[in-house]
Amino acid sequence: MTKVTAQMSVSLDGYYAGPQHTGDGDWIRSAEAAGFFRVTRWVTDAMAWRERQGFAGGEANQDSEIVAESFAAAGAYVMGRRMADGGEVPWGEEPPFRAPVFVVTHRPREVLHRGGGTSFTYVTDGIAAAVERARGAAGGKDVAVAGGGALVRQVLEAGLLDQLELHVVPVVLGSGMRLLADGLDVGERSGIELTPTRVVHTPRVTHLRYTVDGRAPLVLDDRGRGA
Ligand SMILES: NC(=O)c1ccc[n+]([C@@H]2O[C@H](COP(=O)([O-])OP(=O)(O)OC[C@H]3O[C@@H](n4cnc5c(N)ncnc54)[C@H](OP(=O)(O)O)[C@@H]3O)[C@@H](O)[C@H]2O)c1
């Protein structure tokens, strides 16, 4: 059965990229990119990712197996417009997805067809619509919400996510774009509960997988009253 999954690499202090790049300069030279490259270095060094990108070399290790597993599980992707824009050039003519990608945006654009089975369809009627279109295109495999954080956060908030995977990298960035940031619309007296279903620990990353159970009220306990 199709699950809606998301995975993000984050620093120990919860950042998925450095401080947001807003100026005119090159994104690739920005502090946002520097933070992003640090937390995803384990991916770009993994043989499974390099093979998908047509790059030689890479490390054949447990991290690489996890990258391969993620690609194999996804039948379609949902992506935020900033991530899609940032990847458009570096992913090249044969992006690593090899599946339909639905880009959530307010800016209409023609479908972009790439080699190897990847297409980018720009969806302007919201995240739920994008997830539904991806579900229809996933052929029974999973819908992977590929990022960035703004999108993953909303999918979690909206109760559309079945599984969240965090790849926690042992670095402290101190500032940047935080995944589970202040302002997440959960409600003051409720939380989003998750059940951990897998932990894989490697020298470079701790891979945490959770099933998302959903919102639940926070109850005041009666500690100290004694029975
Ligand atoms: N650490 C990781 O694992 C990881 C993974 C992926 C990406 N990243 C990094 O994350 C950063 C990008 O993430 P981000 O959080 O800034 O942006 P994002 O989620 O990629 O994209 C945000 C954009 O998506 C569109 N959007 C979001 N919600 C929408 C909605 N409800 N309705 C319509 N459009 C909506 C808007 O585009 P419009 O402005 O066009 O309306 C918005 O500006 C990059 O630095 C990237 O490298 C990190």
Side-chain angles (χ1 to χ4, degrees), residues 76-79 84 91 95 97-103 117-123 134 146:
Y77 293 83
V78 180
M79 193 177 285
W91 290 327
F97 307 104
R98 302 183 190 165
V101 179
F102 295 87
V103 180
T118 301
S119 58
F120 295 91
T121 301
Y122 295 82
V123 179

Side-chain angles (χ1 to χ4, degrees), residues 9 16 32 81-83 104-106 148-151 154 177:
S9 297
Y16 60 94
E32 177 180 339
R81 195 269 309 159
R82 288 195 77 235
M83 176 178 173
V104 185
T105 179
H106 296 93
L151 183 67
Q154 289 181 69
M177 299 167 78

Side-chain angles (χ1 to χ4, degrees), residues 9 27-28 33-61 63-64 66-68 71 90-91 96 167 169 204-205 207:
S9 297
W27 179 84
I28 206 105
F36 166 70
F37 289 135
R38 175 61 193 93
V39 295
T40 56
R41 194 187 298 159
W42 70 275
V43 181
T44 42
D45 286 347
M47 184 176 277
W49 186 85
R50 300 184 71 81
E51 275 174 357
R52 280 268 179 159
Q53 272 288 172
F55 297 161
E59 296 166 6
N61 54 19
D63 295 328
S64 182
I66 283 176
V67 172
F71 277 128
W91 290 327
H167 308 287
V169 175
R204 296 180 68 180
V205 200
H207 305 275

